[in-house]
Every structure is written in structure tokens, then in C-alpha cells.
Amino acid sequence: MGGVALVSLCMSGAALAAPSAERVAEDLKFNEETTQVGLDVRLGAGGLAGRGGDVTQVGPMVGIAAGAQPWRFLGVEAGVEGQRLPIDDPRIGEGEAMYRYNVGLLAKAGPLLAQDKLRPYVGVGAGVSYLNATNGAENLYRNDFITEVPLAAGLDYRFGNGIFAGARASYRVLFGEEFADAATIDGDSGGNLLNIAATVGGRF
């Protein structure tokens, strides 16, 4: 009798788990016809930490990204960003800066809340930036390619007709920075990048 009860319990548990597993499978199933795609623009500001932050200041950034939502809880985006990081160094003239030009990919995950209008999310990705020193700073600062691992956290609110607005914080782990090696005492340009931005866009 005990064995029969155990088998019955296992079978009922499997029966209850089956609908849940089916719903998860439906959420993860890619459907090209229902995949939402769109564009967003972002405006914000941020700056470098570490040695790179010792010689630069917080600066404005602007970006544009193309995104897709292949699954209910998972999305991807590809984007470009531009940013001006003012140089804070008395050895060079006023108004000099490092300009950052970035391309990157980001995978995002997050649930839909409040009747599918609110989506908090986290993301991780990869990117490459080109840092360009203005002419008046080139005696101490150099142009440089750096690789990035962006970590993001944000919140989007969806209005009608596919329009959404939100906010995002991104912390970019940087590798290969050499743009300020000649300007720092220990020849180290290391540091990561923190940006905070407002976003607005549309999905269709």
C-alpha cells in the first residue's frame, strides 16, 4: 500500500508540474511573427573611476539602440554611444576632452509587471570604445581602443501604441586603457565607467 501511495503521489506531482513546464516552454519559444523590435534613444551623463577618473570629469552622453524581444522575459539590443569626458589637468589648456565612441551588444532579462506595463531588468554584454583626445591634449593624452563588459540595471514603463520611457544605470568594466598613461604618475589609465541615462523609444 505504501508503494502504491508513493507512486500515486509522484504521478500527481508530475501532472501538476506539466502545465507549469508547458507555460515556461511557451515563454521561451521563439516566434518571429510576435517578436517585438524597435529603437530607443538615451541621454545621460557619467564618468570614469580609478586613475582614468583622476584626470577626467563627468561628461554628457547620448546613445541610440535597436532592440528585440524574442522571448517574454529575455531581450537583446545593439547600440552606439557618444560621450564627452572633459580632461581635468592643469598642464593642458581649458576645454580639452576625451571623446568616447562606442558600439556594443547587451542581453537583458526581466519580468513584466503592472499589467505588462512595467519592466525592471538587468543586463550584461560586450562592447568596444574608441577614445579620441582633442588636439590640445595630444601631448599627454593619446587615442585608444578599449574593450568593455557592460553591466546594466534599468526600468522601462510602456505607454500605449508601443511607446516606452525609462531609466538605466550601466557600469562598464574596461580593459586595455592606455589613453592617460603618459599623464599619470604611475603610468596607469585603469578604471571603469559609470553612466546613468533616461531612455525613450518604441516597440512595434
Side-chain angles (χ1 to χ4, degrees):
M1 291 296 293
V4 172
L6 179 61
V7 170
S8 300
L9 179 62
C10 291
M11 291 180 64
S12 62
L16 290 173
S20 298
E22 184 177 349
R23 284 194 295 270
V24 171
E26 289 176 355
D27 286 339
L28 292 177
K29 184 178 179 181
F30 174 71
N31 188 334
E32 184 177 354
E33 294 181 358
T34 61
T35 296
Q36 292 185 323
V37 297
L39 291 172
D40 70 77
V41 295
R42 62 193 59 143
L43 295 172
L48 292 164
R51 294 297 187 185
D54 292 340
V55 293
T56 60
Q57 298 176 333
V58 171
M61 59 83 62
V62 61
I64 184 169
Q69 194 75 32
W71 303 279
R72 179 174 174 82
F73 302 119
L74 298 174
V76 293
E77 69 176 39
V80 295
E81 286 183 357
Q83 187 167 14
R84 183 182 187 274
L85 298 168
I87 294 176
D88 183 15
D89 191 334
R91 296 170 295 181
I92 64 172
E94 296 278 339
E96 305 300 334
M98 299 297 302
Y99 281 89
R100 170 179 165 267
Y101 305 99
N102 168 264
V103 294
L105 296 171
L106 190 76
K108 303 188 297 183
L112 279 169
L113 307 173
Q115 299 179 341
D116 288 355
K117 291 186 176 182
L118 189 67
R119 185 192 295 276
Y121 63 86
V122 294
V124 63
V128 177
S129 282
Y130 176 64
L131 294 181
N132 178 234
T134 52
N135 292 337
E138 288 181 341
N139 58 326
L140 286 176
Y141 296 85
R142 55 173 286 185
N143 301 335
D144 192 15
F145 280 99
I146 57 177
T147 54
E148 307 177 357
V149 176
L151 308 172
L155 185 69
D156 287 339
Y157 184 84
R158 297 167 179 249
F159 301 94
N161 300 321
I163 303 300
F164 73 91
R168 172 185 296 187
S170 64
Y171 185 79
R172 297 171 180 268
V173 182
L174 308 181
F175 301 94
E177 312 98 297
E178 298 178 349
F179 71 96
D181 283 1
T184 57
I185 295 175
D186 54 3
D188 181 11
S189 304
N192 299 319
L193 177 68
L194 175 64
N195 280 327
I196 298 176
T199 62
V200 63
R203 296 283 184 269
F204 50 88

Short mmCIF file of all heavy atoms in Angstrom, two decimals, residues 156-200:
data_model
loop_
_atom_site.label_atom_id
_atom_site.label_comp_id
_atom_site.label_asym_id
_atom_site.label_seq_id
_atom_site.Cartn_x
_atom_site.Cartn_y
_atom_site.Cartn_z
N ASP A 156 11.76 50.16 -17.41
CA ASP A 156 11.00 50.72 -18.53
C ASP A 156 9.52 50.71 -18.20
O ASP A 156 9.01 49.75 -17.60
CB ASP A 156 11.22 49.90 -19.81
CG ASP A 156 12.60 50.12 -20.41
OD1 ASP A 156 13.22 51.15 -20.09
OD2 ASP A 156 13.05 49.26 -21.18
N TYR A 157 8.83 51.77 -18.63
CA TYR A 157 7.37 51.83 -18.49
C TYR A 157 6.77 51.98 -19.88
O TYR A 157 7.13 52.90 -20.62
CB TYR A 157 6.94 53.00 -17.61
CG TYR A 157 5.44 53.03 -17.37
CD1 TYR A 157 4.88 52.26 -16.37
CD2 TYR A 157 4.61 53.79 -18.18
CE1 TYR A 157 3.51 52.26 -16.14
CE2 TYR A 157 3.23 53.80 -17.97
CZ TYR A 157 2.69 53.03 -16.95
OH TYR A 157 1.34 53.03 -16.75
N ARG A 158 5.84 51.10 -20.21
CA ARG A 158 5.24 51.09 -21.53
C ARG A 158 3.93 51.87 -21.54
O ARG A 158 3.02 51.59 -20.75
CB ARG A 158 4.97 49.64 -21.97
CG ARG A 158 6.24 48.83 -22.11
CD ARG A 158 5.90 47.36 -22.23
NE ARG A 158 7.13 46.58 -22.39
CZ ARG A 158 7.48 45.96 -23.51
NH1 ARG A 158 6.70 46.00 -24.55
NH2 ARG A 158 8.61 45.29 -23.57
N PHE A 159 3.83 52.82 -22.45
CA PHE A 159 2.59 53.55 -22.67
C PHE A 159 1.82 52.87 -23.81
O PHE A 159 2.19 51.80 -24.26
CB PHE A 159 2.88 55.01 -23.02
CG PHE A 159 3.66 55.73 -21.94
CD1 PHE A 159 5.04 55.81 -22.00
CD2 PHE A 159 3.01 56.31 -20.87
CE1 PHE A 159 5.77 56.46 -21.02
CE2 PHE A 159 3.71 56.98 -19.88
CZ PHE A 159 5.10 57.05 -19.94
N GLY A 160 0.79 53.50 -24.28
CA GLY A 160 0.06 52.94 -25.41
C GLY A 160 0.83 53.06 -26.70
O GLY A 160 1.81 53.79 -26.81
N ASN A 161 0.42 52.30 -27.70
CA ASN A 161 1.00 52.35 -29.05
C ASN A 161 2.48 51.99 -29.08
O ASN A 161 3.22 52.45 -29.96
CB ASN A 161 0.79 53.74 -29.68
CG ASN A 161 -0.68 54.10 -29.79
OD1 ASN A 161 -1.50 53.25 -30.10
ND2 ASN A 161 -1.01 55.34 -29.49
N GLY A 162 2.94 51.20 -28.13
CA GLY A 162 4.32 50.71 -28.14
C GLY A 162 5.36 51.68 -27.64
O GLY A 162 6.55 51.38 -27.67
N ILE A 163 4.98 52.86 -27.18
CA ILE A 163 5.94 53.85 -26.69
C ILE A 163 6.34 53.50 -25.26
O ILE A 163 5.50 53.08 -24.45
CB ILE A 163 5.34 55.26 -26.73
CG1 ILE A 163 4.90 55.61 -28.16
CG2 ILE A 163 6.35 56.29 -26.24
CD1 ILE A 163 6.01 55.57 -29.18
N PHE A 164 7.62 53.67 -24.93
CA PHE A 164 8.07 53.42 -23.57
C PHE A 164 9.10 54.47 -23.17
O PHE A 164 9.74 55.11 -24.01
CB PHE A 164 8.65 52.01 -23.41
CG PHE A 164 10.00 51.83 -24.04
CD1 PHE A 164 11.16 52.05 -23.31
CD2 PHE A 164 10.13 51.44 -25.36
CE1 PHE A 164 12.41 51.89 -23.88
CE2 PHE A 164 11.37 51.27 -25.95
CZ PHE A 164 12.52 51.50 -25.20
N ALA A 165 9.24 54.66 -21.87
CA ALA A 165 10.26 55.54 -21.31
C ALA A 165 10.83 54.87 -20.07
O ALA A 165 10.16 54.05 -19.44
CB ALA A 165 9.67 56.91 -20.97
N GLY A 166 12.05 55.23 -19.74
CA GLY A 166 12.65 54.59 -18.59
C GLY A 166 13.96 55.23 -18.17
O GLY A 166 14.32 56.32 -18.62
N ALA A 167 14.66 54.52 -17.31
CA ALA A 167 15.95 54.97 -16.81
C ALA A 167 16.87 53.76 -16.69
O ALA A 167 16.40 52.64 -16.46
CB ALA A 167 15.80 55.66 -15.45
N ARG A 168 18.17 54.03 -16.85
CA ARG A 168 19.15 52.94 -16.81
C ARG A 168 20.45 53.42 -16.19
O ARG A 168 20.90 54.53 -16.46
CB ARG A 168 19.44 52.42 -18.23
CG ARG A 168 20.59 51.43 -18.29
CD ARG A 168 20.94 51.03 -19.71
NE ARG A 168 19.86 50.32 -20.35
CZ ARG A 168 19.96 49.75 -21.55
NH1 ARG A 168 21.09 49.84 -22.23
NH2 ARG A 168 18.91 49.13 -22.07
N ALA A 169 21.04 52.55 -15.39
CA ALA A 169 22.40 52.74 -14.90
C ALA A 169 23.26 51.62 -15.49
O ALA A 169 22.86 50.46 -15.48
CB ALA A 169 22.45 52.70 -13.38
N SER A 170 24.41 51.99 -16.03
CA SER A 170 25.32 50.98 -16.59
C SER A 170 26.71 51.16 -16.00
O SER A 170 27.22 52.29 -15.92
CB SER A 170 25.37 51.07 -18.12
OG SER A 170 25.92 52.29 -18.54
N TYR A 171 27.29 50.06 -15.60
CA TYR A 171 28.65 50.04 -15.08
C TYR A 171 29.47 49.20 -16.04
O TYR A 171 29.20 48.01 -16.23
CB TYR A 171 28.68 49.43 -13.68
CG TYR A 171 30.05 49.48 -13.02
CD1 TYR A 171 30.52 50.66 -12.46
CD2 TYR A 171 30.85 48.35 -12.99
CE1 TYR A 171 31.76 50.71 -11.85
CE2 TYR A 171 32.10 48.39 -12.39
CZ TYR A 171 32.55 49.58 -11.82
OH TYR A 171 33.79 49.62 -11.23
N ARG A 172 30.45 49.84 -16.66
CA ARG A 172 31.24 49.18 -17.70
C ARG A 172 32.62 48.84 -17.17
O ARG A 172 33.39 49.73 -16.79
CB ARG A 172 31.34 50.07 -18.94
CG ARG A 172 29.99 50.34 -19.57
CD ARG A 172 30.05 51.39 -20.66
NE ARG A 172 28.73 51.62 -21.22
CZ ARG A 172 28.25 50.97 -22.29
NH1 ARG A 172 29.00 50.08 -22.91
NH2 ARG A 172 27.03 51.22 -22.72
N VAL A 173 32.91 47.56 -17.15
CA VAL A 173 34.25 47.09 -16.78
C VAL A 173 35.13 47.23 -18.01
O VAL A 173 34.83 46.66 -19.07
CB VAL A 173 34.20 45.62 -16.30
CG1 VAL A 173 35.60 45.17 -15.87
CG2 VAL A 173 33.22 45.47 -15.15
N LEU A 174 36.21 48.01 -17.90
CA LEU A 174 37.05 48.35 -19.04
C LEU A 174 38.36 47.57 -19.01
O LEU A 174 38.91 47.28 -17.95
CB LEU A 174 37.35 49.86 -19.04
CG LEU A 174 36.15 50.80 -18.95
CD1 LEU A 174 36.62 52.24 -18.98
CD2 LEU A 174 35.14 50.52 -20.05
N PHE A 175 38.87 47.28 -20.20
CA PHE A 175 40.13 46.55 -20.35
C PHE A 175 40.99 47.24 -21.41
O PHE A 175 40.50 47.66 -22.45
CB PHE A 175 39.88 45.10 -20.79
CG PHE A 175 39.03 44.31 -19.82
CD1 PHE A 175 37.66 44.23 -20.01
CD2 PHE A 175 39.60 43.67 -18.73
CE1 PHE A 175 36.87 43.51 -19.14
CE2 PHE A 175 38.83 42.95 -17.85
CZ PHE A 175 37.46 42.87 -18.05
N GLY A 176 42.27 47.38 -21.11
CA GLY A 176 43.22 47.88 -22.10
C GLY A 176 43.32 49.37 -22.20
O GLY A 176 43.76 49.90 -23.23
N GLU A 177 42.97 50.11 -21.13
CA GLU A 177 43.05 51.57 -21.19
C GLU A 177 44.51 52.03 -21.12
O GLU A 177 45.23 51.67 -20.20
CB GLU A 177 42.29 52.22 -20.02
CG GLU A 177 40.90 51.69 -19.78
CD GLU A 177 40.87 50.66 -18.69
OE1 GLU A 177 41.51 49.60 -18.87
OE2 GLU A 177 40.23 50.89 -17.66
N GLU A 178 44.89 52.85 -22.09
CA GLU A 178 46.25 53.42 -22.11
C GLU A 178 46.23 54.90 -22.46
O GLU A 178 47.28 55.51 -22.64
CB GLU A 178 47.11 52.67 -23.13
CG GLU A 178 47.29 51.18 -22.83
CD GLU A 178 48.11 50.46 -23.88
OE1 GLU A 178 48.37 51.07 -24.95
OE2 GLU A 178 48.48 49.30 -23.66
N PHE A 179 45.04 55.49 -22.54
CA PHE A 179 44.91 56.86 -23.06
C PHE A 179 45.62 57.89 -22.18
O PHE A 179 46.01 58.95 -22.67
CB PHE A 179 43.44 57.23 -23.22
CG PHE A 179 42.70 57.44 -21.92
CD1 PHE A 179 42.54 58.72 -21.41
CD2 PHE A 179 42.17 56.37 -21.23
CE1 PHE A 179 41.86 58.93 -20.22
CE2 PHE A 179 41.49 56.57 -20.04
CZ PHE A 179 41.34 57.85 -19.52
N ALA A 180 45.78 57.62 -20.87
CA ALA A 180 46.38 58.60 -19.98
C ALA A 180 47.65 58.08 -19.32
O ALA A 180 48.08 58.62 -18.29
CB ALA A 180 45.37 59.03 -18.91
N ASP A 181 48.29 57.07 -19.90
CA ASP A 181 49.49 56.52 -19.29
C ASP A 181 50.58 57.58 -19.13
O ASP A 181 51.30 57.60 -18.12
CB ASP A 181 50.03 55.36 -20.13
CG ASP A 181 49.22 54.08 -19.93
OD1 ASP A 181 48.25 54.12 -19.14
OD2 ASP A 181 49.55 53.06 -20.55
N ALA A 182 50.72 58.46 -20.11
CA ALA A 182 51.77 59.48 -20.04
C ALA A 182 51.40 60.63 -19.11
O ALA A 182 52.26 61.42 -18.74
CB ALA A 182 52.05 60.03 -21.44
N ALA A 183 50.13 60.71 -18.70
CA ALA A 183 49.68 61.83 -17.87
C ALA A 183 49.63 61.50 -16.39
O ALA A 183 49.53 62.41 -15.56
CB ALA A 183 48.29 62.28 -18.33
N THR A 184 49.67 60.23 -16.03
CA THR A 184 49.58 59.83 -14.63
C THR A 184 50.96 59.50 -14.08
O THR A 184 51.87 59.09 -14.82
CB THR A 184 48.66 58.61 -14.46
OG1 THR A 184 49.14 57.54 -15.29
CG2 THR A 184 47.24 58.95 -14.87
N ILE A 185 51.12 59.66 -12.79
CA ILE A 185 52.43 59.47 -12.15
C ILE A 185 52.93 58.04 -12.31
O ILE A 185 54.12 57.81 -12.59
CB ILE A 185 52.33 59.84 -10.65
CG1 ILE A 185 52.03 61.32 -10.49
CG2 ILE A 185 53.62 59.48 -9.92
CD1 ILE A 185 51.80 61.75 -9.06
N ASP A 186 52.04 57.07 -12.14
CA ASP A 186 52.45 55.67 -12.23
C ASP A 186 52.20 55.06 -13.60
O ASP A 186 52.29 53.84 -13.77
CB ASP A 186 51.76 54.85 -11.14
CG ASP A 186 50.24 55.00 -11.18
OD1 ASP A 186 49.74 55.69 -12.09
OD2 ASP A 186 49.58 54.42 -10.31
N GLY A 187 51.85 55.88 -14.60
CA GLY A 187 51.63 55.38 -15.95
C GLY A 187 50.48 54.41 -16.06
O GLY A 187 50.53 53.44 -16.82
N ASP A 188 49.40 54.69 -15.33
CA ASP A 188 48.25 53.78 -15.28
C ASP A 188 46.98 54.54 -15.63
O ASP A 188 46.64 55.53 -14.98
CB ASP A 188 48.14 53.17 -13.89
CG ASP A 188 46.97 52.19 -13.77
OD1 ASP A 188 46.38 51.83 -14.81
OD2 ASP A 188 46.66 51.79 -12.64
N SER A 189 46.27 54.09 -16.65
CA SER A 189 45.00 54.72 -17.05
C SER A 189 43.79 53.92 -16.58
O SER A 189 42.68 54.19 -17.00
CB SER A 189 44.93 54.85 -18.58
OG SER A 189 46.03 55.57 -19.09
N GLY A 190 44.01 52.92 -15.76
CA GLY A 190 42.94 51.98 -15.40
C GLY A 190 41.76 52.62 -14.70
O GLY A 190 41.88 53.64 -14.03
N GLY A 191 40.61 52.00 -14.86
CA GLY A 191 39.37 52.48 -14.24
C GLY A 191 38.18 52.02 -15.04
O GLY A 191 38.30 51.66 -16.21
N ASN A 192 37.02 52.01 -14.40
CA ASN A 192 35.79 51.61 -15.06
C ASN A 192 34.89 52.82 -15.27
O ASN A 192 35.21 53.93 -14.83
CB ASN A 192 35.09 50.53 -14.24
CG ASN A 192 35.96 49.28 -14.12
OD1 ASN A 192 36.61 48.87 -15.08
ND2 ASN A 192 35.99 48.69 -12.94
N LEU A 193 33.77 52.62 -15.95
CA LEU A 193 32.91 53.73 -16.36
C LEU A 193 31.49 53.52 -15.85
O LEU A 193 30.90 52.45 -16.04
CB LEU A 193 32.89 53.82 -17.90
CG LEU A 193 32.00 54.88 -18.52
CD1 LEU A 193 32.52 56.28 -18.21
CD2 LEU A 193 31.92 54.67 -20.04
N LEU A 194 30.94 54.54 -15.20
CA LEU A 194 29.56 54.51 -14.72
C LEU A 194 28.76 55.59 -15.45
O LEU A 194 29.14 56.76 -15.43
CB LEU A 194 29.50 54.75 -13.22
CG LEU A 194 28.10 54.87 -12.61
CD1 LEU A 194 27.32 53.57 -12.75
CD2 LEU A 194 28.18 55.29 -11.14
N ASN A 195 27.65 55.19 -16.07
CA ASN A 195 26.75 56.13 -16.75
C ASN A 195 25.32 55.93 -16.24
O ASN A 195 24.90 54.80 -15.97
CB ASN A 195 26.75 55.91 -18.26
CG ASN A 195 27.95 56.56 -18.93
OD1 ASN A 195 28.44 57.58 -18.50
ND2 ASN A 195 28.43 55.95 -20.02
N ILE A 196 24.57 57.02 -16.16
CA ILE A 196 23.15 56.99 -15.82
C ILE A 196 22.41 57.76 -16.89
O ILE A 196 22.82 58.88 -17.25
CB ILE A 196 22.89 57.59 -14.43
CG1 ILE A 196 23.63 56.78 -13.35
CG2 ILE A 196 21.40 57.65 -14.13
CD1 ILE A 196 23.51 57.36 -11.96
N ALA A 197 21.34 57.18 -17.42
CA ALA A 197 20.67 57.79 -18.57
C ALA A 197 19.17 57.61 -18.48
O ALA A 197 18.66 56.65 -17.88
CB ALA A 197 21.19 57.19 -19.87
N ALA A 198 18.44 58.53 -19.10
CA ALA A 198 17.00 58.41 -19.35
C ALA A 198 16.81 57.91 -20.78
O ALA A 198 17.55 58.30 -21.69
CB ALA A 198 16.31 59.75 -19.15
N THR A 199 15.82 57.06 -20.98
CA THR A 199 15.58 56.48 -22.30
C THR A 199 14.14 56.71 -22.74
O THR A 199 13.23 56.80 -21.92
CB THR A 199 15.86 54.95 -22.30
OG1 THR A 199 14.97 54.32 -21.38
CG2 THR A 199 17.29 54.67 -21.90
N VAL A 200 13.95 56.80 -24.05
CA VAL A 200 12.61 56.86 -24.62
C VAL A 200 12.68 56.16 -25.98
O VAL A 200 13.68 56.26 -26.69
CB VAL A 200 12.12 58.31 -24.76
CG1 VAL A 200 12.99 59.12 -25.71
CG2 VAL A 200 10.66 58.35 -25.22
#
